[in-house]
Amino acid sequence: MRSFIYVIFPIIISFSCNPEKIDQHLEEVPTENLLDILLEGNERFSEDHPLHPDQTLNRLRDLSVGQHPLAAIVSCSDSRVPPELVFDQGLGDLFVIRNAGNIVGDYEIGSLEYAIEHLEVPLVIILGHTKCGAIGAFVDHDHDHTHHYSEYIQKIIDFIDAEEEEKALPRDIPDFYEKAIEANVMHGIHELKNKVPMVNHLIEARKLKIVGAVYDVETGKVSILEE
């Protein structure tokens, strides 16, 4: 009897320690709760107990007839910042646009316009992150103009340097790097609102919400920025 108890005990422990996987689909969530649900997913991720929803072959097959994502996210290409993992979502849940520095230019605005106009996403997130290499390169270049990067990396730096939100930052503040990350996120929000006429109308009609956020690569947590 004693040996039987020793065998069964670790099995019980293993079942009790594994969180129950919930079959939660983002499209079933009321639009006014979407941001909260994504932040709850991020909390699961940062606390190391994600659910990994919508990642089955059945989900894959269901999506073959079309996509209906509930949020569009502009994020950095940095390999440490995959939005589907960060927010603990799955296939078909998020419309993701990634580039170095999560910059929002004409091509990104075109992708967001498609997501808003044709896919009718009710939520857009511009997601920056700590220790961003593109913003770091901008900060280094801002402090030392003698340092030059290769042609196309320099174009990214020049794009960030031209942002009015970056120009408005005092250069002598101790947290200039962190504030530059936030300013770049806010630039993305302002560009989208200024260049896509329907956006402000949809916001006023409460059919669209646009938020800025920063992901901490050390803690795994996403913080919403105040505009």
Side-chain angles (χ1 to χ4, degrees):
M1 178 64 69
R2 182 176 300 175
S3 61
F4 176 77
I5 293 174
Y6 283 139
V7 170
I8 201 70
F9 184 71
I11 295 176
I12 294 172
I13 291 293
S14 66
F15 276 106
S16 63
C17 289
N18 290 328
E20 181 182 357
K21 188 170 182 177
I22 301 173
D23 189 19
Q24 174 195 350
H25 300 306
L26 204 59
E27 61 262 29
E28 298 171 357
V29 176
T31 55
E32 63 269 19
N33 298 337
L34 273 175
L35 181 59
D36 290 335
I37 292 297
L38 290 181
L39 292 176
E40 287 175 10
N42 174 246
E43 185 176 358
R44 293 194 302 269
F45 169 79
S46 64
E47 294 179 355
D48 200 23
H49 52 80
L51 298 177
H52 302 298
D54 290 337
Q55 296 181 25
T56 64
L57 284 177
N58 285 336
R59 175 66 169 176
L60 179 71
R61 296 184 185 105
D62 290 343
L63 289 169
S64 65
V65 298
Q67 62 167 329
H68 304 283
L70 268 296
I73 300 180
V74 179
S75 66
C76 187
S77 298
D78 193 305
S79 61
R80 300 168 292 180
V81 195
E84 292 87 350
L85 296 181
V86 166
F87 291 105
D88 191 26
Q89 300 303 316
L91 295 167
D93 293 331
L94 306 176
F95 185 88
V96 179
I97 304 141
R98 299 180 70 176
N99 61 50
N102 49 271
I103 58 178
V104 177
D106 290 345
Y107 297 112
E108 293 75 26
I109 289 175
S111 296
L112 288 171
E113 188 174 30
Y114 173 77
I116 295 168
E117 181 176 351
H118 295 282
L119 300 178
E120 298 182 341
V121 297
L123 175 64
V124 173
I125 301 175
I126 311 297
L127 181 65
H129 70 95
T130 60
K131 299 185 178 180
C132 178
I135 300 298
F138 156 70
V139 171
D140 290 342
H141 186 262
D142 187 81
H143 291 160
D144 182 10
H145 284 281
T146 63
H147 185 82
H148 291 283
Y149 294 84
S150 57
E151 179 181 0
Y152 290 96
I153 294 177
Q154 188 63 48
K155 287 180 182 291
I156 296 173
I157 295 170
D158 292 342
F159 184 97
I160 297 170
D161 186 54
E163 296 175 359
E164 292 299 325
E165 293 80 359
E166 298 292 0
K167 292 179 180 179
L169 283 180
R171 266 36 184 180
D172 57 350
I173 55 177
D175 57 348
F176 177 58
Y177 183 15
E178 291 76 14
K179 292 300 183 184
I181 291 170
E182 295 179 6
N184 183 51
V185 169
M186 300 315 298
H187 172 79
I189 294 175
H190 298 156
E191 280 291 281
L192 183 58
K193 288 182 177 181
N194 291 335
K195 291 190 175 179
V196 182
M198 73 178 76
V199 163
N200 291 308
H201 171 72
L202 290 172
I203 292 173
E204 290 174 3
R206 297 187 176 182
K207 293 182 178 179
L208 177 65
K209 187 172 187 175
I210 302 175
V211 299
V214 174
Y215 170 73
D216 190 317
V217 298
E218 293 185 6
T219 66
K221 293 183 178 180
V222 171
S223 299
I224 301 299
L225 299 179
E226 296 293 333
E227 189 173 355

